[in-house]
Amino acid sequence: MPINQQFETHLTTNKINKIEQFDLDFQLNVAWIMDYFHAFAGERYVFINKDKSFKLIGIGHHSVLTADTIHPVHIERQFKAIVQDAAYIGNGSQYELKLFGGFQFDNNESKNFSAYEKSHFIIPKIQVVESNGHASIIFVDQSSDKIQIIDALRHHAAEKVQDNKIISAEDIDLDLFKSNAHKAISMMQQDKLEKVVLSRKRKITMARDIDILPLIEQAMKNHEVSYFALIESGAQTFITKTPEQLVAVQDGILHTNAIAGTMGKSIDNAKQKLLDDEKNLYEHKIVVESIKEDLAPFTNEITLKQSPDILENQFFYHLYTPINAKLNRGGLLEVTESLHPTPALGGFPKRAAMHFLAEANEGRGLYGAPLGYVDLNDEGEFIVAIRSMVIQDNTAMLFAGCGIVKSSVVESEVYETEIKFKPMLEMLGVNEDE
């Protein structure tokens, strides 16, 4: 269906008349909330920021705003048309309700993400938000027994889930990854490409269906500085635990960053070696310059440091440069579409790298894609969904990537992606020797 026809359909069928918000006087336990709403399995989502000061939970589908191409600006227009005339009851405002979702890495087909559209966003029936210790629940679905739900959430505790065991772990298309890496390096040696980011897949099969509750609990206990996001769509669940923000907008100020260049923490003096490493510094510089170029249509006031800092995660160090800008033109989703993919996830020059990836047959789907939320005030945050997996029944397809430049050694890049599988393996409770 053409996008303009989808737009008309949503306008006539899904308009919201009333939104009601209640303050919550208890601390959120995300896994317990998801367990309480288990009847909505397949229609839930979670977003938690790096320091866990912001948590967003969506329950049920009031509207699923989709397009079969990457077109987030049209999705934003649908959201505003559906919500902007709603009466708001409570201490908050219409701006409290968030539109959550994302769009896939590119328009190529991915058999691993059959449950998700190319643009896939959700207005939930119920949304729970916690920001800096203050929690509230928002009801879009007015048929809910609001007081009963709030009281039940206050006293609910999930039962302990039984341990799950791994049956098999299988690398998918590893030879294709190596072949693509060799081809990319050859093109760089001919000055046809400067950088491209390739990805790998690993399929984990467990003894029983994978329960998402212990995965959420593990993510909340872990003190690694990473975002956590989960979005269900029918039988599939996509999960990412990523260090990388793509863009955020608050009070008219745009925040983004360059994260490119990686070294495992097991290497002696890894932090200093990374700061001095020519290959990683070059890779990082490419990302910084590309982001500045992508932001040019939206701002003429960009602030950043001249040399990168170090971002530390559980298994590795990254080169990291924060970038801030005053947003003069455009909205959050428009900027998100312009920035995606940064050279940290696609390559450089962007057009040449995306053409290479279109022929690489990786089928990325939501891996490396923007995922996040926006409100009616055009504020919100989108992350880059690296270190991720898509779960269906008792299987999990894991994704990891690495930047290829002229000086890359293919076997070294294979090793780097091995490290990047670890956060998802750890979340699944899989030991390295299994």
Side-chain angles (χ1 to χ4, degrees):
M1 180 183 294
I3 290 173
N4 63 337
Q5 291 182 11
Q6 287 186 341
F7 183 46
E8 293 299 324
T9 300
H10 283 296
L11 279 176
T12 57
T13 61
N14 291 326
K15 213 164 176 68
I16 296 171
N17 296 316
K18 185 170 74 171
I19 301 169
E20 196 164 0
Q21 177 173 327
F22 297 84
D23 291 334
L24 298 179
D25 58 357
F26 53 90
Q27 189 173 10
L28 299 187
N29 184 306
V30 178
W32 292 6
I33 291 173
M34 293 287 279
D35 180 69
Y36 174 76
F37 289 109
H38 63 87
F40 288 93
E43 298 185 2
R44 300 171 296 179
Y45 63 75
V46 176
F47 181 97
I48 303 169
N49 70 353
K50 281 186 177 182
D51 64 6
K52 300 179 177 62
S53 63
F54 179 82
K55 304 180 185 73
L56 181 68
I57 307 166
I59 305 297
H61 289 168
H62 174 275
S63 302
V64 182
L65 310 184
T66 65
D68 57 7
T69 60
I70 295 171
H71 224 314
V73 174
H74 276 274
I75 297 292
E76 184 175 26
R77 289 174 185 166
Q78 293 179 41
F79 171 55
K80 290 180 177 179
I82 291 168
V83 175
Q84 63 187 3
D85 295 329
Y88 210 104
I89 301 171
N91 295 328
S93 71
Q94 288 172 305
Y95 300 137
E96 301 292 327
L97 181 66
K98 320 293 185 188
L99 176 71
F100 179 83
F103 50 93
Q104 295 192 21
F105 182 84
D106 55 31
N107 281 309
N108 298 321
E109 293 304 314
S110 174
K111 61 184 180 181
N112 297 303
F113 290 89
S114 58
Y116 300 87
E117 299 293 336
K118 292 295 185 292
S119 299
H120 196 106
F121 288 79
I122 296 163
I123 300 174
K125 291 182 176 180
I126 300 170
Q127 189 171 85
V128 183
V129 185
E130 181 180 278
S131 181
N132 297 315
H134 176 261
S136 60
I137 185 167
I138 299 168
F139 291 93
V140 175
D141 177 15
Q142 296 303 316
S143 66
S144 303
D145 190 332
K146 304 173 184 66
I147 302 304
Q148 180 180 351
I149 288 173
I150 293 170
D151 186 61
L153 287 176
R154 181 182 286 110
H155 299 100
H156 184 75
E159 295 182 7
K160 183 175 175 58
V161 179
Q162 294 181 351
D163 291 336
N164 207 346
K165 300 296 182 183
I166 182 174
I167 294 176
S168 65
E170 177 188 2
D171 284 322
I172 305 297
D173 296 333
L174 179 57
D175 288 341
L176 176 64
F177 171 82
K178 292 179 180 179
S179 174
N180 284 332
H182 283 296
K183 181 180 177 181
I185 293 168
S186 175
M187 290 181 64
M188 291 166 193
Q189 291 170 347
Q190 301 171 53
D191 296 324
K192 295 179 179 179
L193 195 62
E194 289 190 48
K195 175 187 175 181
V196 70
V197 180
L198 299 178
S199 66
R200 284 182 58 194
K201 298 185 283 289
R202 178 171 293 168
K203 183 179 180 181
I204 304 296
T205 303
M206 308 294 284
R208 295 182 293 103
D209 285 357
I210 298 170
D211 193 320
I212 65 169
L213 297 186
L215 309 187
I216 296 171
E217 289 180 335
Q218 196 275 344
M220 293 301 296
K221 291 176 183 177
N222 191 297
H223 296 294
E224 182 180 359
V225 183
S226 291
Y227 294 89
F228 175 84
L230 175 156
I231 180 169
E232 297 177 329
S233 183
Q236 292 188 330
T237 302
F238 179 71
I239 292 177
T240 181
K241 186 180 179 187
T242 174
E244 189 156 347
Q245 176 200 71
L246 181 62
V247 61
V249 173
Q250 185 175 11
D251 298 326
I253 303 299
L254 181 151
H255 307 275
T256 186
N257 54 71
I259 301 178
T262 301
M263 191 164 289
K265 294 175 73 172
S266 60
I267 297 172
D268 290 340
N269 200 25
K271 188 183 295 186
Q272 191 59 48
K273 285 181 179 177
L274 180 58
L275 287 169
D276 296 335
D277 185 78
E278 185 176 340
K279 182 256 188 186
N280 280 289
L281 287 169
Y282 174 69
E283 185 179 334
H284 188 81
K285 181 181 178 181
I286 288 175
V287 175
V288 172
E289 294 304 315
S290 178
I291 290 174
K292 288 166 62 178
E293 183 178 326
D294 288 338
L295 289 178
F298 307 101
T299 180
N300 51 16
E301 301 177 43
I302 298 176
T303 305
L304 74 161
K305 292 178 63 176
Q306 295 305 307
S307 57
D309 295 324
I310 289 288
L311 177 66
E312 180 177 355
N313 280 302
Q314 185 174 359
F315 299 107
F316 22 68
Y317 296 112
H318 302 286
L319 295 177
Y320 168 73
T321 297
I323 300 171
N324 299 317
K326 183 178 180 181
L327 188 61
N328 298 327
R329 298 169 295 279
L332 174 57
L333 282 179
E334 189 176 356
V335 176
T336 299
E337 185 177 13
S338 178
L339 284 171
H340 172 76
T342 70
L345 267 297
F348 189 82
K350 181 181 284 191
R351 182 173 296 181
M354 292 300 284
H355 178 74
F356 183 94
L357 290 173
E359 297 183 342
N361 198 30
E362 291 187 334
R364 291 191 182 187
L366 287 173
Y367 166 72
L371 191 66
Y373 65 91
V374 63
D375 63 22
L376 281 176
N377 204 32
D378 231 349
E379 296 190 349
E381 182 171 24
F382 280 78
I383 60 176
V384 182
I386 57 175
R387 321 287 155 75
S388 59
M389 60 183 165
V390 60
I391 295 169
Q392 184 164 353
D393 301 326
N394 68 327
T395 65
M397 186 70 74
L398 280 55
F399 298 83
C402 61
I404 304 294
V405 295
K406 187 185 295 186
S407 60
S408 292
V409 178
V410 174
E411 290 305 322
S412 296
E413 304 300 341
V414 171
Y415 173 73
E416 181 177 318
T417 52
E418 290 292 328
I419 298 173
K420 291 176 178 178
F421 281 130
K422 286 186 177 181
M424 293 298 103
L425 291 170
E426 183 180 76
M427 193 177 295
L428 289 168
V430 177
N431 296 322
E432 291 185 66
D433 58 351
E434 289 188 283

